[in-house]
Amino acid sequence: MPYKDFREFIEALIKSGDLHQVNKEVDWNLEAGAIMRKGCEEIGPAVLFDKIKDYPKGYKVAGNPLASFRRLAIALDMPPDSSYTEILNRYDEGKKKPVKPVLVKDGPCKEEIHIGDDVDLYKFPALIVHGGDGGRYLCTWHITATKDPDSEWVNWGMYRAMIHNKNTMGGIILPFQHIGMIYAKYEKRSEPMPFAIAIAPEPVTAFIGASNIPYGVSEADIIGGHRGEPLSVIKCETNDLLVPATSEIIIEGEIPPYERLPEGPFGEFPGYEAGGKAPRPVYHVTAITNRKNPILTASNMGMPIDDCDVINSISYASDLRSELIKSGLPITGIYMPPECCTFMLVVSTKTPYSGIAHRIASCVWGTKGGAAIPKIIIVEDDVDPSNMREVFHAFATAHHPVRGTHIISNTQGHSLIPYLSQHDRTYGIGANVFYDCTWPKDWSKEELPKKQSFKDAYPKETQEKVLNNWREYGF
Ligand SMILES: Cc1cc2nc3c(=O)[nH]c(=O)nc-3n(C[C@H](O)[C@H](O)[C@H](O)COP(=O)(O)O)c2cc1C
Ligand SMILES: [Mn+2]
């Protein structure tokens, strides 16, 4: 059964031992963020802070909700120890059969309603997440809903937002993200863009909000598909947008055209502070509604493994696997190492003809998601792409430094890529590379190096005998 709200998800995490409750009071200024950061780097459990300094008891913060594959599996209603490939397969299934949300008249997110002068963003214990952050970030694990002015399409995505004052926030709105494409249309018309932010929705909503769902497709329908039942949505108080009815906090308002205020810096997904303080669009808040004793969700992007790394590792790999199979490429496995912050992908493949690695790389880079992956390692199908010992071995021994390295300049880059120069970050100029670790097709069978591994260097009978007698050898 899918979770009806974030609170049911917390119960499931407690039951499986994947959530740690901190009863001691913690400071919203850095202390909670530092505890979460250590949790990410140690792949620890999610953290529920029961008491935040300056805030009434009951105003909890839930940190790192999806920062492990175990927690993502639990969110998808799977056993916590599901394998990477099992989660990928589940994601593949869920996205195939969208289910439209149902509109409800009443829901927990309306337990308290604050409109106009009653709006105060400081009512919630927003964190200063990282040392160096430009302010208190209220929105780091949520969805932001905006409607395309030219159609009925409503987009839900996870885009950070920092508090400027009691009723305004600022955030990064990138032109290649769906919110950026939609906002550009409002700016062209010189009209404000209505928005609604749902903080702490049930977990599949946050997962899909941060995944690459195609342009023009409503994430709400895909969420229904993954849940196997429709999401309940409810109308906002001050605009016509619909939000998940069981969310903990809803923030409504509009983003005027062309207005900018300095926002940032913020610790970002590549594992560095990035983007600096810069003029960015302004969220004017017209209403806040929330559950009683609301739980504020928070992520802590930085050195892996955080929510972003886990979500992207599954959603990118699943989408790209589908694209590669659709293109008829004989791939046998795919893995996006969460340690690489979406900058690297590993694909294993059969090689029935020459040039497979080129076709794989071109196919990946031709998609919206894949365009954001500058490095691809392509290995033979006897290498498990999710086993870094095997991948490093293939890279070190099967990849020719000249013949196997294919560099492409002037690709789509972006401002958060740490190794790009300031100039290239400003203009979004990137560079890509793929490392072909497959054997050349013009080498004869005799020329091909023979791998000395248990499964490659012994006859089947010897392998079976050894495996069957393993205990008898005294191991
Ligand atoms: C915790 C977290 C924070 C994120 N913050 C941002 C952000 O501030 N800006 C952004 O463009 N993408 C951000 N992303 C990535 C987007 O959510 C992701 O690219 C998603 O696909 C965007 O939705 P869209 O495809 O509908 O534009 C974040 C992801 C996560 C997991
Ligand atoms: Mn979208």
Side-chain angles (χ1 to χ4, degrees):
M1 283 287 285
Y3 305 102
K4 81 171 186 298
D5 58 15
F6 189 78
R7 296 180 190 201
E8 280 192 0
F9 178 51
I10 285 193
E11 288 306 315
L13 292 179
I14 291 172
K15 219 169 116 198
S16 65
D18 288 274
L19 182 131
H20 178 76
Q21 242 162 308
V22 176
N23 303 119
K24 180 174 160 47
E25 179 179 284
V26 297
D27 199 328
W28 51 264
N29 184 5
L30 294 179
E31 187 183 4
I35 295 167
M36 288 162 60
R37 186 95 292 286
K38 218 162 142 43
C40 288
E41 290 166 30
E42 292 170 8
I43 318 185
V47 196
L48 186 65
F49 298 106
D50 278 343
K51 175 73 180 82
I52 310 289
K53 185 169 173 261
D54 304 331
Y55 286 85
K57 200 157 170 54
Y59 275 54
K60 300 180 183 187
V61 173
N64 309 340
L66 293 178
S68 74
F69 289 114
R70 280 179 63 84
R71 283 168 347 242
L72 184 57
I74 295 165
L76 291 169
D77 217 3
M78 301 174 74
D81 51 4
S82 300
S83 71
Y84 182 81
T85 306
E86 283 167 340
I87 304 175
L88 269 196
N89 293 346
R90 167 63 68 94
Y91 188 79
D92 276 357
E93 284 313 304
K95 69 187 178 194
K96 277 187 194 147
K97 31 180 201 295
V99 178
K100 291 221 165 294
V102 290
L103 183 63
V104 296
K105 285 219 146 53
D106 201 11
C109 70
K110 304 281 190 188
E111 282 171 7
E112 290 182 14
I113 297 178
H114 311 274
I115 297 180
D117 287 346
D118 234 12
V119 164
D120 182 5
L121 294 166
Y122 294 110
K123 179 173 145 62
F124 307 106
L127 307 180
I128 294 191
V129 180
H130 320 86
D133 282 359
R136 296 178 70 174
Y137 277 82
L138 182 57
C139 306
T140 63
W141 202 95
H142 61 286
I143 55 105
T144 303
T146 52
K147 187 182 162 301
D148 175 24
D150 293 330
S151 71
E152 289 310 302
W153 174 40
V154 176
N155 185 68
W156 289 3
M158 191 180 288
Y159 316 100
R160 79 187 197 202
M162 178 191 104
I163 300 177
H164 285 313
N165 58 38
K166 76 192 262 291
N167 55 6
T168 62
M169 300 191 294
I172 202 162
I173 294 188
L174 297 166
F176 51 80
Q177 297 287 55
H178 294 161
I179 193 173
M181 297 177 190
I182 292 173
Y183 182 52
K185 294 188 182 190
Y186 284 95
E187 286 207 317
K188 202 159 168 220
R189 295 161 183 234
S190 290
E191 284 173 15
M193 173 172 74
F195 73 85
I197 292 174
I199 298 174
E202 63 77 45
V204 177
T205 300
F207 173 40
I208 299 304
S211 298
N212 264 317
I213 307 305
Y215 180 86
V217 176
S218 284
E219 280 80 3
D221 303 357
I222 305 294
I223 292 162
H226 283 285
R227 286 165 47 85
E229 71 175 50
L231 194 65
S232 296
V233 292
I234 193 162
K235 196 183 111 27
C236 283
E237 298 298 307
T238 55
N239 61 40
D240 289 332
L241 289 161
L242 305 177
V243 286
T246 64
S247 310
E248 295 285 328
I249 302 166
I250 306 294
I251 302 172
E252 312 172 7
E254 52 185 39
I255 305 180
Y258 304 111
E259 186 187 13
R260 303 288 186 266
L261 281 176
E263 183 261 1
F266 189 55
E268 269 295 353
F269 75 94
Y272 300 84
E273 182 181 300
K277 192 189 235 5
R280 302 205 171 99
V282 186
Y283 295 69
H284 288 262
V285 180
T286 50
I288 296 177
T289 73
N290 60 271
R291 293 183 72 151
K292 289 202 175 92
N293 292 323
I295 301 169
L296 172 64
T297 38
S299 62
N300 186 325
M301 288 187 293
M303 282 292 285
I305 294 174
D306 56 46
D307 286 72
C308 202
D309 301 318
V310 169
I311 291 172
N312 288 336
S313 174
I314 291 295
S315 67
Y316 275 68
S318 159
D319 291 345
L320 292 168
R321 183 171 69 168
S322 307
E323 286 297 324
L324 290 162
I325 292 171
K326 222 168 30 181
S327 298
L329 289 160
I331 61 155
T332 51
I334 194 161
Y335 185 62
M336 176 173 260
E339 294 82 4
C340 298
C341 310
T342 73
F343 288 2
M344 199 170 91
L345 181 74
V346 187
V347 181
S348 63
T349 183
K350 292 191 194 307
T351 54
Y353 47 85
S354 274
I356 295 270
H358 269 94
R359 282 203 52 203
I360 289 173
S362 308
C363 180
V364 168
W365 289 332
T367 64
K368 175 183 182 262
I373 305 170
K375 296 172 183 170
I376 307 175
I377 295 182
I378 296 154
V379 294
E380 293 272 357
D381 74 333
D382 63 345
V383 179
D384 172 359
S386 69
N387 181 333
M388 284 306 108
R389 288 173 64 190
E390 291 189 24
V391 172
F392 278 131
H393 177 262
F395 183 57
T397 61
H399 168 259
H400 188 287
V402 177
R403 176 173 37 72
T405 304
H406 303 269
I407 297 166
I408 297 167
S409 45
N410 259 313
T411 61
Q412 175 191 313
H414 63 77
S415 56
L416 301 183
I417 300 182
Y419 55 75
L420 292 180
S421 67
Q422 195 56 54
H423 173 273
D424 286 356
R425 278 189 225 166
T426 305
Y427 293 96
I429 303 168
N432 288 2
V433 60
F434 75 87
Y435 301 101
D436 184 355
C437 310
T438 65
W439 301 113
K441 288 312 287 178
D442 51 2
W443 286 14
S444 67
K445 207 165 172 233
E446 289 66 43
E447 277 177 286
L448 287 178
K450 289 189 182 50
K451 206 165 168 179
Q452 292 299 297
S453 68
F454 179 75
K455 66 178 192 273
D456 296 297
Y458 302 91
K460 268 265 157 316
E461 311 82 73
T462 313
Q463 289 185 38
E464 270 165 29
K465 186 175 173 193
V466 167
L467 290 176
N468 290 337
N469 290 332
W470 198 247
R471 277 176 181 276
E472 285 179 49
Y473 300 139
F475 290 109

